[in-house]
Amino acid sequence: MDYAAGSRTGSHKLKRMSVRESRESRGPAEPSIAGIRVLVVDDNRDALEVIEEALTDFGAQVTSVLSVDEAIRVDPSRFDVVLTDLSMPHRTGYDLLRVVRERAPSLPVIAVTGHPQERGAPGFAVHLSKPVDHGDLVRAIHRVVTDRKQSESQ
């Protein structure tokens, strides 16, 4: 599912588009992320569900959590890649990155943010802006996981 923020009397709502419609609007097929284990962390339940559904439709094995504390409890090192929002209450994506670096230094962490000033924060493999283009997300996951496998096999 792709989503875009819409405005209705000052509040935001999510507009969903099927993955098939999203793929058709982009053209060529995305690289395969089938079987890749993805941990998704976002305090926004709607955004979390949309990303989880899209990645699952692309074949990824997705575990979604609403906080950094939950992510730490499920042990991020069990995954092939972590996808995290940066701005969350209590503990942020930066806090999660520090924990991941302690437990699994080579595990790629992708930052997703709705705040342009947060793009480019050091330590993250990739930065993506909200609303997330699912083609960009699939390509980023494929690339960072492939890069990690190649560097570990050398």
Side-chain angles (χ1 to χ4, degrees), residues 86-123:
L86 292 181
S87 298
M88 295 180 277
H90 311 294
R91 296 179 80 178
T92 67
Y94 303 102
D95 297 320
L96 179 58
L97 178 65
R98 282 189 286 280
V99 171
V100 168
R101 290 294 160 255
E102 291 170 6
R103 294 184 182 180
S106 67
L107 179 62
V109 180
I110 297 174
V112 179
T113 183
H115 306 284
Q117 68 274 18
E118 293 180 329
R119 289 185 53 98

Side-chain angles (χ1 to χ4, degrees), residues 42 45 47 71 84 95 100 121 131 148 152:
D42 197 318
R45 187 177 303 277
T84 185
D95 297 320
V100 168
R148 180 183 186 201
E152 289 178 348

Side-chain angles (χ1 to χ4, degrees), residues 37-136:
R37 297 166 299 166
V38 183
L39 175 60
V40 182
V41 186
D42 197 318
D43 63 311
N44 180 315
R45 187 177 303 277
D46 290 333
L48 191 70
E49 289 173 359
V50 169
I51 290 173
E52 178 180 12
E53 185 173 337
L55 293 179
T56 300
D57 286 347
F58 279 103
Q61 298 173 7
V62 181
T63 300
S64 298
V65 296
L66 289 163
S67 72
V68 170
D69 290 333
E70 287 181 74
I72 292 168
R73 280 194 293 276
V74 300
D75 186 11
S77 66
R78 296 182 13 225
F79 297 89
D80 298 311
V81 62
V82 175
L83 175 68
T84 185
D85 185 16
L86 292 181
S87 298
M88 295 180 277
H90 311 294
R91 296 179 80 178
T92 67
Y94 303 102
D95 297 320
L96 179 58
L97 178 65
R98 282 189 286 280
V99 171
V100 168
R101 290 294 160 255
E102 291 170 6
R103 294 184 182 180
S106 67
L107 179 62
V109 180
I110 297 174
V112 179
T113 183
H115 306 284
Q117 68 274 18
E118 293 180 329
R119 289 185 53 98
F124 293 95
V126 175
H127 292 81
L128 298 172
S129 295
K130 289 182 179 180
V132 176
D133 176 273
H134 293 156
D136 292 343

